[in-house]
Amino acid sequence: MADRDTLKKHADLFDRMAATLGHDLEESALKGQLRIDEISDAVLACTGCSNPAHCSEWLGTRDTALQAPQYCRNRALLDRLHP
């Protein structure tokens, strides 16, 4: 299992990715669009990314995006949140 610092880093990346795509994870959970365990699973999936530095760099170059990059392990989940 990933250590605490790794989990925090990837939780931040996942939250930033969601925000860049226009999603508020807390609001999505409150509306029933996303279960809390799905958020946890998404963070764990993110820890398996082979290049989180590239993801962080990608996020740093834009304020908004229509889709997560192809390599994002949570792309399908994030796509599902679009209305």
Side-chain angles (χ1 to χ4, degrees):
M1 173 153 242
D3 64 40
R4 183 176 182 207
D5 289 338
T6 299
L7 289 172
K8 286 175 68 175
K9 174 178 145 182
H10 288 273
D12 179 62
L13 285 173
F14 180 59
D15 189 53
R16 287 175 56 203
M17 184 65 74
T20 298
L21 299 175
H23 307 307
D24 180 320
L25 296 174
E26 185 177 338
E27 185 178 321
S28 294
L30 290 171
K31 289 181 176 179
Q33 299 168 323
L34 185 64
R35 297 183 322 271
I36 298 299
D37 63 319
E38 287 179 298
I39 296 172
S40 300
D41 289 346
V43 171
L44 288 175
C46 187
T47 65
C49 180
S50 62
N51 199 353
H54 185 270
C55 181
S56 184
E57 186 177 302
W58 186 89
L59 288 165
T61 63
R62 64 202 83 232
D63 293 325
T64 63
L66 296 177
Q67 276 190 312
Q70 287 286 342
Y71 60 80
C72 181
R73 296 171 143 250
N74 291 302
R75 184 175 174 159
L77 171 67
L78 292 165
D79 283 350
R80 191 189 86 210
L81 295 177
H82 281 291

